Amino acid sequence: MRFTSTPRGARLARRLVSHRLAAWGYPYDSGPNETTTLIASELAANAVRHGRVPGRDFHVRLTAPLGDASGTIRIEVSDTRTEKRPALIAAAPDAETGRGLYLVSQLAERWAVGPRSGGGPGKTLWAEIATETKPSGPGSGPGPLQRPQG
């Protein structure tokens, strides 16, 4: 799904990730939902703060296992700014910023940054979150986060 490169777009992305995971059977208060939502928040905030190109949106893709007792949730956030690659840094104790990727590195099983898929301009940051919880309920299943029709 596409979001405007604004703080409002980042908030909407975070909320939509949490909502989609709940619809797929990972309740709002479950570990996988809370962890993925926090990571989505950090990656979306980075896309808005460091990857913003005026007039260009950032993209979010979310996938989750279908009916498995365990598996991996994957969140991808793509922006259109190629030259600004994120780096994991040690933030000073009194710094107000600089801890986002550290949180991602501690919460995700794996994470990385790479070229944007499809050959477009920009980069994609992705993270994978292991889940021990079996999805339950209607609508559970994998698939990209998609814009509702209608």
Side-chain angles (χ1 to χ4, degrees):
M1 182 159 206
R2 259 185 354 204
F3 298 92
T4 59
S5 291
T6 63
R8 182 175 184 263
R11 283 191 308 272
L12 181 57
R14 180 192 74 233
R15 292 184 69 189
L16 205 49
V17 163
S18 182
H19 179 70
R20 176 56 57 198
L21 286 170
W24 286 346
Y26 299 94
Y28 291 109
D29 61 350
S30 70
N33 191 310
E34 289 178 344
T35 300
T36 305
T37 300
L38 177 60
I39 290 172
S41 179
E42 294 299 335
L43 297 182
N46 279 351
V48 169
R49 175 173 274 190
H50 305 293
R52 182 176 187 275
V53 173
R56 301 260 175 111
D57 298 334
F58 71 93
H59 295 216
V60 175
R61 179 178 168 85
L62 179 68
T63 57
L66 173 63
D68 291 337
S70 63
T72 302
I73 296 171
R74 183 176 171 107
I75 177 90
E76 300 175 5
V77 177
S78 302
D79 63 52
T80 55
R81 193 147 185 204
T82 305
E83 74 280 2
K84 237 180 165 181
R85 307 280 288 192
L88 186 59
I89 59 169
D94 59 343
E96 293 183 17
T97 61
R99 292 181 184 82
L101 284 181
Y102 176 76
L103 285 172
V104 171
S105 74
Q106 297 302 300
L107 294 171
E109 294 296 315
R110 298 181 327 153
W111 73 277
V113 60
R116 191 171 183 155
S117 62
K123 63 191 169 296
T124 297
L125 276 84
W126 59 265
E128 294 179 342
I129 301 90
T131 176
E132 301 291 325
T133 308
K134 184 175 180 176
S136 61
S140 63
L145 189 59
Q146 298 176 345
R147 184 179 305 271
Q149 301 296 317

